């Protein structure tokens, strides 16, 4: 025993650190994430556990954006990284460089738990869904700039009703793709009518088919939150008809395929032209019938007016004749009354005292000279 070397605490901690890091320079550990912590430093701390033990884990802030998934409580994962020790507390931990879900079953369970959590928070409620515009003038498409998806969308839009399209190129799988897509949604919403690039009337988030792991960016909470907060209506067009992601639940409308999204986003111009022709024909027939109806009404009114005018002329003649008759009658009556009144006046004047006096005054003295016999005088 006396021949064993004596180490200081620091020396022994250094030996252990070298031993561990040399023998486990790169390792993969499977376990369940417990108590994840996201402090302001940007690093992520959590415990990786199973039924037999636990190990501390850390993800540096510059590594986190490169991960395809974000650590969550209860998620079963496989962490890849290197083992190191922390001498201050005689602990060891894994510094995570990569993280993947441990099997499809665990991935589906994690997605279902996440879906229930988001559903409970109200992010999937129907009352939050915005209506899809009937004829959007500008459509923003968030997808990979290469591949068949964008070509299919542009082709379908060209066939149905050509609209102006803004293409925001993003990675649709792999590390950091969820953040790129969420940032694209946010940036589209920052546009206004006063900016050089106008805000689109509709957004389409699209990608082609793929495995469950490749679809993971469209299940990330940061993208779900961005779409939920978006003021611009959003159509999700991820994978094939049987593929479902959490983006489909929060989007205002789900399209089974990217091509179907283009069909949903715009009306068919052929149908529009056909409807316009039908309406034009209907309007033309209606106008003709209306004109015919009012022409008949006008003619009937003219005939009625002509008869009315004739009746008015006939009534006018009768009225004039009656008036003339009455006028003549009144003239004769007035003349008769006038003569009668004049005779009465004359009679009254002749018998008036004044007239009598005038007659007396105008009379001269008359006398008779009598000659008597003289004898008679004696």
């Amino acid at each position: 025993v006396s021949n064993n070397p004596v180490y200081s605490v620091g020396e022994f901690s250094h030996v252990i650190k070298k031993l561990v890091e040399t023998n486990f320079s790169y390792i993969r550990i499977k376990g369940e994430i417990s108590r994840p912590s996201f402090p302001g430093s940007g690093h992520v701390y959590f415990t990786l556990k199973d039924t037999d033990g636990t190990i501390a884990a850390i993800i540096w802030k510059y590594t986190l954006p490169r991960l395809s998934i974000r650590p969550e409580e209860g998620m079963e994962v496989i962490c890849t990284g290197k083992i190191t020790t922390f001498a201050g507390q005689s602990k060891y931990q894994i510094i995570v460089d990569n993280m993947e879900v441990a099997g499809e079953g665990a991935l589906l369970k994690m997605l279902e738990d996440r879906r229930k959590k988001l559903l409970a928070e109200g992010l999937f409620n129907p009352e939050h869904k915005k209506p899809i515009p009937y004829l959007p003038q500008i459509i923003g498409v968030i997808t990979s700039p290469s591949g068949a998806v964008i070509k299919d969308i542009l082709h379908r839009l060209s066939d149905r009703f050509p609209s102006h399209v803004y293409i925001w190129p993003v990675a649709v799988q792999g590390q950091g793709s969820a953040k790129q897509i969420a940032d694209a949604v946010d940036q589209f919403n920052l546009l206004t009518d006063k900016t050089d690039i106008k805000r689109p009337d509709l957004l389409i988030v699209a990608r082609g088919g793929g495995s469950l792991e490749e679809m993971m960016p469209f299940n990330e909470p940061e993208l779900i939150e961005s779409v939920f907060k978006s003021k611009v209506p959003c159509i999700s067009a991820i994978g094939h008809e049987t593929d479902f992601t959490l983006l489909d639940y929060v989007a205002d409308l789900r399209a089974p395929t990217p091509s179907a999204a283009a069909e949903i986003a715009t009306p068919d111009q052929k149908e529009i032209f056909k409807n316009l022709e039908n309406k034009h024909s209907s309007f033309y027939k209606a106008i003709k019938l209306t004109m015919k109806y009012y022409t008949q009404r006008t003619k009937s009114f003219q005939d009625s007016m002509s008869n009315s005018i004739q009746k008015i002329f006939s009534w006018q003649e009768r009225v004039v004749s009656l008036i003339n008759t009455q006028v003549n009658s009144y003239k004769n009556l007035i003349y008769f009354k006038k003569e009668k009144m004049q005779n009465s006046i004359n009679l009254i004047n002749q018998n008036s005292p004044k007239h009598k006096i005038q007659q007396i005054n105008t009379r001269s003295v008359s006398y008779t000279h009598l000659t008597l016999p003289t004898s008679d005088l004696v």
Side-chain angles (χ1 to χ4, degrees), residues 42-199:
H43 309 312
V44 180
Y45 301 92
F46 61 94
T47 299
L48 201 60
K49 68 177 184 178
D50 61 13
T51 56
D52 298 322
T54 64
I55 182 174
I58 181 173
I59 304 173
W60 302 124
K61 65 177 181 180
Y62 54 80
T63 303
L64 187 61
R66 300 200 307 265
L67 300 182
S68 60
I69 59 174
R70 184 179 177 85
E72 294 183 25
E73 178 71 32
M75 184 186 296
E76 188 176 4
V77 295
I78 298 175
C79 292
T80 303
K82 64 179 181 178
I83 300 295
T84 185
T85 62
F86 181 55
Q89 297 182 2
S90 298
K91 290 183 177 180
Y92 61 92
Q93 62 186 4
I94 178 172
I95 299 176
V96 179
D97 288 333
N98 191 26
M99 180 186 294
E100 57 188 288
V101 178
E104 187 170 312
L107 184 59
L108 290 174
K109 180 180 180 303
M110 182 269 291
L111 291 177
E112 180 60 19
D113 293 341
R114 187 180 291 176
R115 186 190 70 82
K116 290 179 180 178
K117 178 176 179 293
L118 295 172
L119 178 63
E121 293 175 358
L123 271 68
F124 302 155
N125 290 356
E127 59 266 24
H128 298 309
K129 306 295 184 185
K130 295 173 286 296
I132 303 301
Y134 173 71
L135 186 58
Q137 300 297 312
I138 302 174
I139 300 175
V141 179
I142 303 172
T143 189
S144 172
S146 61
V149 170
I150 187 61
K151 294 179 181 178
D152 289 344
I153 291 176
L154 294 176
H155 178 70
R156 292 303 297 152
L157 290 176
S158 177
D159 284 347
R160 290 181 63 78
F161 203 100
S163 302
H164 191 70
V165 178
Y166 294 153
I167 302 173
W168 197 294
V170 294
V172 292
Q173 68 183 59
Q175 297 176 345
S177 55
K179 186 176 186 310
Q180 289 187 33
I181 301 169
D183 288 344
V185 174
D186 294 339
Q187 291 300 317
F188 267 132
N189 275 271
L190 291 177
L191 299 175
T192 66
D193 292 338
K194 295 181 180 180
T195 54
D196 293 336
I197 301 176
K198 307 302 181 184
R199 177 190 288 179

Side-chain angles (χ1 to χ4, degrees), residues 28-42:
R28 303 181 76 205
I29 302 178
K30 178 181 177 182
E32 180 182 317
I33 294 177
S34 175
R35 295 180 298 175
S37 175
F38 302 86
S41 62

Side-chain angles (χ1 to χ4, degrees), residues 76 89 126 150 206 234 277 312 327 349 364:
E76 188 176 4
Q89 297 182 2
I150 187 61
C234 181
E277 289 179 358
I312 289 173
V327 168
N349 289 333
S364 59

Side-chain angles (χ1 to χ4, degrees), residues 161-281:
F161 203 100
S163 302
H164 191 70
V165 178
Y166 294 153
I167 302 173
W168 197 294
V170 294
V172 292
Q173 68 183 59
Q175 297 176 345
S177 55
K179 186 176 186 310
Q180 289 187 33
I181 301 169
D183 288 344
V185 174
D186 294 339
Q187 291 300 317
F188 267 132
N189 275 271
L190 291 177
L191 299 175
T192 66
D193 292 338
K194 295 181 180 180
T195 54
D196 293 336
I197 301 176
K198 307 302 181 184
R199 177 190 288 179
D201 305 304
L202 178 66
L203 297 181
I204 298 176
V205 182
R207 73 148 285 159
S211 64
L212 185 59
E213 290 79 6
E214 292 172 337
M215 299 289 189
M216 280 306 297
F218 302 96
N219 295 306
E220 294 301 324
E222 60 182 327
L223 175 58
I224 304 304
E225 184 176 353
S226 292
V227 173
F228 177 76
K229 293 180 179 179
S230 174
K231 296 179 181 179
V232 182
C234 181
I235 297 177
S236 65
I238 311 302
H240 304 298
E241 188 170 359
T242 56
D243 296 323
F244 267 88
T245 64
L246 297 182
L247 176 64
D248 296 324
Y249 293 101
V250 74
D252 299 296
L253 190 64
R254 175 188 180 263
T257 62
S259 297
E263 293 182 3
I264 294 172
T266 54
D268 187 353
Q269 59 181 340
K270 295 179 182 178
E271 290 295 327
I272 292 177
F273 292 151
K274 183 177 180 181
N275 290 336
L276 288 175
E277 289 179 358
N278 291 336
K279 289 182 178 180
H280 179 269
S281 178

Side-chain angles (χ1 to χ4, degrees), residues 349 351-359:
N349 289 333
N351 296 316
S352 67
K354 181 179 180 181
H355 183 69
K356 291 293 185 180
I357 293 171
Q358 288 177 350
Q359 285 180 345

